[in-house]
Amino acid sequence: MSAATAAYYDALETRAPEERENALMAALPDVVAHARAHAPAYAAILGDLTPSEVGSRTALAKLPVTRKSELIERQKTARVQGDAFGGFATIGWRPRRGAVRVFSSPGPIYEPEGEGPDYWRAARALFAAGFRQGDLVHNSFSYHLTPAGSMMETAAHALGCTVFPGGVGNTELQLQAAAELRPHGYVGTPSFLKIMVDKAAEQGTALPSLRKALVSGEAFPPSLRDWLAERGIVGYQCYATADLGLIAYETEAREGLVLDEHVIVEIVRPGTGDPVPAGEVGEIVVTTLNKDYPLIRFGTGDLSAVMPGPCPTGRTNTRIRGWMGRADQTAKVRGMFVHPSQVAAIARRHPEVHRARLVVSGEMANDQMTLKVEVASRSEGLDARIAESIREVTKLRGNVVFSEPGSLPNDGKVIEDARSYE
């Protein structure tokens, strides 16, 4: 089967799940060892860990989660010593085996791009969206500061595509280029694609060649997807970050997002590193096999959940439901910050508690906290003991309400802010 007519980007997408899991777990100890030996931040984080013992998801789940706030702080501290990446990268500047480019994301966080084709692994997502060798790709992601433009350009080149580097803004000029160059597809944010299509209609400019799109960076609701389809553009979405590259991508089945073949993804309870049962909403935590920037158990701050069964397209990797909100649900109550990790700490003190959800209600200056807990059975005085734990952990008073197991909403919320701000 030729590349132009192949159903899959490569054979990795249809391998047996057991084969994939074995390959990922076999690669993991080597990545951990490399990070511990060559990335000072991981030497500190992992301590005296024996990398060869980290060859299973159970062992991986025992390692600490590194969150974006820690990455920012370590980079700030290390910057005065000349380490822009805070000890997380194993490469630096050329001519030593170093970064080809360096990018900046809000924080700021600096990310290296190392050598190699399709460095961010986004070609798989482009292929699933219908892009093929010989296509002209209109790339409207940013080419400065953040890596999105480079991420998609290198992916398109890996597929054998030509790229028009439109970048962001300059709608009139980009529309003129799209009309005259006649690209086969678009990559960028869905909102800018809509702006371009609306502007084309307003001006009476035809875009007959533009028939496919891969979008990211924003929500891509079904209403916009259908709106584009009515105008002849079939759009798909992918989930990627500046730190990790591609994490998951949409297929023609449009049933969730299929995980990339070169990342290990866990869904954990917000505020903890504890994996949740399959199907439960939690924070996406990713371990990348990129030895240049080997992020291990990196908390994305995004919520999602694993979907049951394989993709109808025949791809056998795990699917997630896509972006479902943010995991950082910190709330300020009576002048004190309450964090999801504190709710988890309260629950861990009481083995009877299966799940907990803190609801903050009332009006401004009259906050009330209620901890809803799922318990199968409760001993006498459990509510008073939990209330005492609330006071000890948060330094605030809260009520306790018991619920049946499975009764709390499966939306990933550990702290629900139900206050009125009117």
Side-chain angles (χ1 to χ4, degrees):
M1 185 178 291
S2 70
T5 59
Y8 309 109
Y9 180 67
D10 58 24
L12 297 179
E13 295 183 351
T14 56
R15 56 184 164 167
E18 298 80 9
E19 180 185 350
R20 176 182 296 108
E21 185 71 3
N22 289 339
L24 291 173
M25 293 303 111
L28 180 59
D30 189 39
V31 172
V32 173
H34 185 79
R36 187 168 174 268
H38 301 286
Y42 279 113
I45 292 170
L46 299 175
D48 59 358
L49 171 84
T50 302
S52 61
E53 295 178 354
V54 189
S56 69
R57 287 184 181 265
T58 300
L60 180 62
K62 294 178 181 178
L63 303 185
V65 173
T66 297
R67 293 195 160 81
K68 193 161 298 222
S69 57
E70 181 179 352
L71 195 61
I72 292 172
E73 288 307 312
R74 283 185 178 269
Q75 286 200 357
K76 284 181 180 178
T77 301
R79 215 168 288 154
V80 296
Q81 280 84 41
D83 183 353
F85 305 122
F88 285 94
T90 65
I91 58 174
W93 313 138
R94 291 183 166 188
R96 184 172 69 86
R97 179 178 174 267
V100 177
R101 300 181 183 89
V102 58
F103 295 101
S104 173
S105 297
I109 296 175
Y110 295 106
E111 300 102 1
E113 178 184 316
E115 297 178 346
D118 192 26
Y119 185 80
W120 307 89
R121 310 176 317 281
R124 191 178 303 281
L126 278 173
F127 189 92
F131 289 82
R132 296 294 184 270
Q133 180 179 355
D135 283 348
L136 173 60
V137 179
H138 186 116
N139 185 7
S140 78
F141 275 121
S142 175
Y143 273 78
H144 73 286
L145 295 181
T146 64
S150 181
M151 191 180 295
M152 291 302 172
E153 177 166 297
T154 53
H157 288 166
L159 285 182
C161 300
T162 301
V163 177
F164 173 69
V168 296
N170 299 304
T171 306
E172 297 278 354
L173 291 176
Q174 294 216 43
L175 184 56
Q176 179 182 350
E180 296 176 350
L181 293 175
R182 301 171 69 87
H184 300 90
Y186 164 97
V187 296
T189 62
S191 60
F192 189 71
L193 177 57
K194 186 177 187 301
I195 288 171
M196 284 184 59
V197 173
D198 276 335
K199 193 69 173 178
E202 177 188 317
Q203 294 181 350
T205 301
L207 298 174
S209 65
L210 197 59
R211 289 292 172 261
K212 51 196 170 191
L214 178 67
V215 300
S216 192
E218 299 171 345
F220 186 43
S223 57
L224 179 53
R225 180 194 69 197
D226 295 344
W227 184 90
L228 290 170
E230 290 168 1
R231 289 151 181 82
I233 302 172
V234 180
Y236 294 89
Q237 61 183 315
C238 71
Y239 172 44
T241 73
D243 317 280
L244 299 158
L246 182 69
I247 298 172
Y249 59 98
E250 191 174 25
T251 72
E252 61 186 8
R254 298 197 185 279
E255 294 185 11
L257 304 181
V258 178
L259 296 183
D260 177 49
E261 296 292 330
H262 299 287
V263 293
I264 300 169
V265 173
E266 304 167 271
I267 307 293
V268 308
R269 186 153 288 115
T272 77
D274 304 330
V276 300
E280 186 173 321
V281 177
E283 181 184 6
I284 301 171
V285 169
V286 181
T287 297
T288 175
L289 303 181
N290 178 1
K291 286 188 174 181
D292 292 347
Y293 198 40
L295 295 177
I296 299 168
R297 299 205 85 202
F298 184 73
T300 64
D302 295 322
L303 295 174
S304 194
V306 168
M307 295 178 65
C311 179
T313 63
R315 293 173 174 86
T316 57
N317 208 345
T318 302
R319 295 177 298 158
I320 59 175
R321 289 171 58 185
W323 187 82
M324 299 178 68
R326 293 292 295 170
D328 184 5
Q329 300 153 25
T330 299
K332 197 170 189 180
V333 183
R334 299 173 217 153
M336 300 280 287
F337 284 107
V338 181
H339 305 276
S341 58
Q342 292 175 300
V343 178
I346 294 166
R348 279 196 294 268
R349 291 186 174 196
H350 306 280
E352 302 98 322
V353 175
H354 294 282
R355 290 176 64 205
R357 181 186 184 101
L358 184 69
V359 179
V360 185
S361 58
E363 299 176 353
M364 291 292 287
N366 188 28
D367 302 326
Q368 298 176 12
M369 295 199 318
T370 300
L371 187 67
K372 297 183 177 181
V373 293
E374 290 184 358
V375 293
S377 61
R378 58 181 185 267
S379 57
E380 184 177 352
L382 179 60
D383 53 347
R385 293 195 297 275
I386 295 175
E388 179 61 24
S389 294
I390 294 173
R391 286 194 295 273
E392 290 178 358
V393 173
T394 69
K395 313 306 179 188
L396 297 164
R397 293 182 180 275
N399 301 316
V400 178
V401 173
F402 293 112
S403 303
E404 294 296 320
S407 61
L408 293 179
N410 181 24
D411 56 9
K413 285 188 178 180
V414 175
I415 299 177
E416 177 186 352
D417 193 338
R419 288 173 288 191
S420 172
Y421 291 94
E422 295 181 357

